[in-house]
Amino acid sequence: MTVLQAIVLGITQGITEFLPISSDGHLILVPSLFGWERFGLGFDVVLHAATLAATIAYFRHDVWRLVLGVFSRAEERARDKRLAWLIIAATVPSALIALALEPLVEGVETLSMSSQVTITGAFLVVTAILLTLAEVFARRSAHAVETAEDIPMKQALAIGVAQAFAVAPGLSRSGTTIAAGVGLGIKREEAARFSFLLSIPIIFAATAKKVLLDVIIGGEALPAAGPLAIGLLTTAVVGYGAIALLLPYVRKHSLAAFAVYTAIVGTAILVSSVLF
């Protein structure tokens, strides 16, 4: 892996992890577009760890309040405690379903690059449909939930389930969870905030599992230290910026632009796979 490749993939991961357009899908599409080989799960794990760091850094005040509030009995911590337990509760079905689907995802990794690209295209179209449906439902009903702390438990669990199915390449994690939240009547900005906070435990668990099983035990090869460090730093910085841009954007705009993008890219991939 060259330094340039590490920077390009770091920028790709940093942007697409938080914008609802699928990071796993773009980590397949970008190497395919440039004719690069895939650099393995080990490098992908490092990039996901970097976006985890970016999330924690951006939401550090929220994270600290949630840590303090999770077991607190103080009245002033009641809302923080509620949000913390909503995230914990939503993570449970998300983790269980994701584990059940893991063999299918690992099966995709064994396919040829062209097959992986085609699958990514199909799920990008699914992402576009989900984002569009979320906007349709949102326009038919008023926003009943103004803040993440006020999300009903049933809706939090539904978002957790939605997150679990985003293990497929092309099916955006942030896209599915934000779409689920918006479709359930949560303000876009707060749906995005809950989505990002909900990503912390599941990405942490998935990263720890992959590092232990694939890198340490399985001996998954990693790129050289220089490109690895540059990829990590690039991802973290770009990821932090992507969060900072997305939250104000969804406060004033719909998810339509992301639906259009994923629909165009996904459709183009599927058409080209049929013609060529």
Side-chain angles (χ1 to χ4, degrees), residues 2 13 15 46-47 52 58 67 70 78 85 90 105 128 150 165 191 200 202 225 240-241 256 267 269:
T2 66
Q13 171 68 16
I15 293 174
V46 170
L47 296 187
L52 173 64
Y58 188 89
V67 170
V70 66
W85 283 103
V105 179
D150 296 321
F165 287 98
I200 293 175
I202 199 74
Y240 189 98
T267 303
I269 291 170

Side-chain angles (χ1 to χ4, degrees), residues 37-240:
E37 63 180 72
R38 287 271 279 147
F39 297 104
L41 287 173
F43 184 65
D44 288 359
V45 167
V46 170
L47 296 187
H48 280 86
T51 49
L52 173 64
T55 307
I56 294 174
Y58 188 89
F59 291 103
R60 59 192 179 278
H61 300 302
D62 288 278
V63 171
W64 181 242
R65 285 198 302 270
L66 295 177
V67 170
L68 293 178
V70 66
F71 294 115
S72 175
R73 295 183 178 181
E75 185 62 30
E76 62 269 20
R77 296 284 181 192
R79 288 176 62 76
D80 296 332
K81 180 176 183 176
R82 186 175 191 281
L83 180 56
W85 283 103
L86 284 175
I87 292 170
I88 292 170
T91 299
V92 173
S94 187
L96 293 176
I97 297 171
L99 283 173
L101 295 175
E102 190 173 37
L104 296 176
V105 179
E106 291 177 347
V108 172
E109 290 283 339
T110 65
L111 299 175
S112 65
M113 178 64 81
S114 61
S115 296
Q116 291 186 44
V117 169
T118 301
I119 291 171
T120 297
F123 279 111
L124 282 173
V125 173
V126 174
T127 294
I129 293 170
L130 292 175
L131 294 173
T132 302
L133 289 175
E135 287 300 326
V136 170
F137 283 114
R139 290 174 184 178
R140 288 182 178 179
S141 60
H143 293 301
V145 182
E146 294 291 325
T147 67
E149 287 81 358
D150 296 321
I151 296 175
M153 178 60 75
K154 288 182 179 180
Q155 294 185 9
L157 292 174
I159 296 171
V161 170
Q163 176 174 254
F165 287 98
V167 292
L171 191 54
S172 168
R173 190 211 62 80
S174 61
T176 358
T177 50
I178 294 172
V182 171
L184 291 169
I186 303 168
K187 286 178 64 175
R188 288 188 190 88
E189 184 180 6
E190 288 300 303
R193 176 173 166 245
F194 185 75
S195 166
F196 295 147
L197 291 173
L198 180 60
S199 75
I200 293 175
I202 199 74
I203 294 178
F204 177 82
T207 301
K209 177 178 177 294
K210 288 181 179 179
V211 167
L212 177 62
L213 296 182
D214 298 325
V215 178
I216 297 177
I217 297 177
E220 176 77 30
L222 291 173
L228 190 68
I230 290 173
L232 192 153
L233 180 61
T234 303
T235 302
V237 172
V238 173
Y240 189 98

